Amino acid sequence: MAQHGTGPRVVVVGGGIAGVSAAYALARHPSAPAVTLIEAEGQLAHHTTGRSAAQLIENYGTHPLRALTKASLPYFLHPPEGLADGPLLERRGVLSVADDARSAEFDQQLAEGIAVNPTIAEVPVAEAVALFPALRPEPIARALWEPESYAIDVAAVHQSFVRGLRRAGGTVALHHRALRIERAGSGWRIRTGAGGAAAPDPSVPGDGDGPVLEADVVINAAGAWGDDVARRAELTPIGLRPLRRTAFMVASRFEGSGAWPLVADIEHRWYVKPDGVQFLCSPADETPSAPCDAKPEEVDVARAIDAINGATTIGIRSVASSWAGLRTFTPDRTMAIGPDPSEPTFLWCVGQGGTGIQSSPGAGQLVADLALDGRPGPTFDPSELGGLTLDPTAFGPARFLPPAP
Ligand SMILES: Cc1cc2nc3c(=O)[nH]c(=O)nc-3n(C[C@H](O)[C@H](O)[C@H](O)COP(=O)(O)OP(=O)(O)OC[C@H]3O[C@@H](n4cnc5c(N)ncnc54)[C@H](O)[C@@H]3O)c2cc1C
């Protein structure tokens, strides 16, 4: 194997879960690339990654994304030696409840669920209430039980990728906002500046006061700013849509509720996830937003309180803390992972939407495979995916862009 850092120079833009998982997988490639991850903020995971509900649900997201989640399970369940101090996952089932009017939606989710994990099943309403004793049985007609779901220790997962990146010789540069990404010979020159991702541009647009980096390959993992980073490389944006989602914590008055499952409306109009002696609640909102440091709106919190108090006996009266984050989707809600059709050494790893944490080991590996080998590697062999298949064209950014001239 080549010596660390003697292979291609790769700059990964963005230090959320998409960027660190990609940088980790790239740094371990046998061609021994020199990997530098640049992050605009003074800390990693400050934006969406630090604000998730931290749950892994196999029966969630578009079909291509389900294969990516499946491909991620081995990393989560058996993290590489020395990268994690404890388990990354803790079993927490998911219960989805439907009223009479949502039977068709329920049947569809049941069928799709069984295809990804045969332990997913319909259970009697009484059993659902036994699993989550604060559920009101009256509005429920049917209940879907996904026992093999997990709470994710997001900080530990993120940290495991950073550790793995550093151990493989990669570097992390904070306060490095990519301001201009220029073609330089067969590679790229990245001009950087201080100031966070949401800060206004410097007075002379594109000219930062930070270091200038050279790269053979650029990975765009800038979350809600994915299209902004493409524009800075003079590439066509793919139409990313950042959608704000709100979450808040409330106290639990129930003994032992920390062991209950996550419960959600079948259409994901609200959900509640037990977390120690609290509940994490969300209205599952999707409010369009510009890329920004998202903040919660009182009206969204109030809507969730109404829905959750109607569906459960939790009896929310006050909120301990609240936050919001941007779940950023591509137009077809499957991530964009792969080379830009007009500049194949510029690769996208964006549109993580609502599954960016649970699919991060797979997404990072896929972009690394495509960047350095041009095709998906053994992680995505059908024998590893429990009957699912991963078609890289389903992730290709080309589906949103005009063909290269
Ligand atoms: C309330 C909520 C609940 C969620 N629940 C779940 C869940 O249960 N399970 C799950 O899997 N997912 C969940 N998600 C989604 C998940 O959090 C996201 O998919 C994921 O965090 C996106 O990661 P990212 O790295 O793409 O984006 P980010 O974490 O936002 O990272 C992008 C980074 O790029 C940086 N950046 C931007 N522009 C530049 C630039 N020019 N130069 C340098 N750096 C730049 C930003 O500063 C930022 O740090 C949830 C999200 C929310 C908001």
Side-chain angles (χ1 to χ4, degrees):
M1 192 187 275
Q3 213 187 336
H4 291 316
T6 53
R9 298 159 304 167
V10 185
V11 168
V12 178
V13 182
I17 201 77
V20 296
S21 59
Y24 162 72
L26 284 154
R28 293 172 68 245
H29 190 268
S31 64
V35 180
T36 305
L37 180 140
I38 61 169
E39 165 55 48
E41 305 291 346
Q43 66 186 86
L44 300 174
H46 171 72
H47 288 286
T48 312
T49 297
R51 309 176 190 202
S52 88
Q55 183 75 16
L56 186 154
I57 309 177
E58 282 192 78
N59 187 20
Y60 189 57
T62 66
H63 287 270
L65 291 175
R66 290 165 186 236
L68 216 50
T69 297
K70 196 62 118 181
S72 299
L73 283 170
Y75 182 96
F76 286 134
L77 293 169
H78 309 288
E81 182 78 33
L83 299 193
D85 299 328
L88 298 177
L89 300 183
E90 186 189 294
R91 184 74 77 97
R92 183 170 304 277
V94 170
L95 201 52
S96 303
V97 293
D99 60 19
D100 259 337
R102 289 177 179 79
S103 217
E105 169 76 11
F106 185 97
D107 285 331
Q108 189 188 341
Q109 282 204 25
L110 177 59
E112 288 179 349
I114 291 167
V116 289
N117 189 321
T119 63
I120 292 173
E122 179 166 6
V123 293
V125 174
E127 195 177 323
V129 176
L131 285 163
F132 194 102
L135 265 179
R136 294 185 196 276
E138 313 82 50
I140 308 175
R142 302 175 74 183
L144 188 66
W145 175 228
E146 183 170 347
E148 292 187 356
S149 257
Y150 302 90
I152 311 171
D153 185 336
V154 179
V157 171
H158 189 279
Q159 180 61 25
S160 75
F161 292 130
V162 175
R163 273 188 194 166
L165 167 65
R166 290 200 167 115
R167 283 191 191 173
T171 53
V172 173
L174 301 175
H175 297 294
H176 277 55
R177 182 184 188 189
L179 290 176
R180 194 194 293 170
I181 304 173
E182 299 160 349
R183 261 300 187 190
S186 62
W188 299 92
R189 183 175 301 122
I190 300 126
R191 297 185 187 279
T192 69
D201 268 351
S203 52
V204 182
D207 282 338
D209 48 8
V212 178
L213 309 176
E214 307 277 344
D216 301 301
V217 175
V218 172
I219 310 287
N220 175 8
W225 290 269
D227 274 343
D228 172 67
V229 164
R231 280 189 207 97
R232 292 173 189 277
E234 297 192 4
L235 292 170
T236 308
I238 61 171
L240 289 172
R241 292 187 73 219
L243 302 177
R244 190 180 68 236
R245 175 153 295 187
T246 310
F248 55 95
M249 303 300 295
V250 301
S252 166
R253 57 185 175 83
F254 300 90
E255 184 90 11
S257 63
W260 296 356
L262 183 153
V263 65
D265 167 67
I266 194 86
E267 287 182 328
H268 290 267
R269 289 174 302 168
W270 54 266
Y271 62 84
V272 176
K273 180 187 176 187
D275 184 352
V277 294
Q278 293 187 305
F279 292 111
L280 183 160
C281 306
S282 175
D285 43 336
E286 292 200 336
T287 309
S289 167
C292 67
D293 195 353
K295 303 278 182 252
E297 300 271 341
E298 266 178 37
V299 59
D300 294 319
V301 173
R303 199 161 50 75
I305 291 175
D306 272 358
I308 293 166
N309 282 346
T312 73
T313 57
I314 292 174
I316 304 171
R317 273 184 221 99
S318 63
V319 168
S321 61
S322 62
W323 68 94
L326 299 179
R327 296 155 80 246
T328 297
F329 291 89
T330 68
D332 65 9
R333 293 178 81 99
T334 292
M335 293 172 197
I337 301 178
D340 189 276
S342 62
E343 291 285 6
T345 56
F346 180 101
L347 288 96
W348 297 73
C349 187
V350 297
Q352 264 58 11
T355 55
I357 311 291
Q358 68 175 44
S359 59
S360 53
Q365 191 62 53
L366 183 60
V367 74
D369 289 350
L370 296 173
L372 300 175
D373 295 324
R375 59 178 190 286
T379 306
F380 305 103
D381 196 274
S383 62
E384 303 290 326
L385 301 182
L388 305 181
T389 49
L390 184 129
D391 170 12
T393 60
F395 292 92
R399 68 199 197 276
F400 308 119
L401 293 167

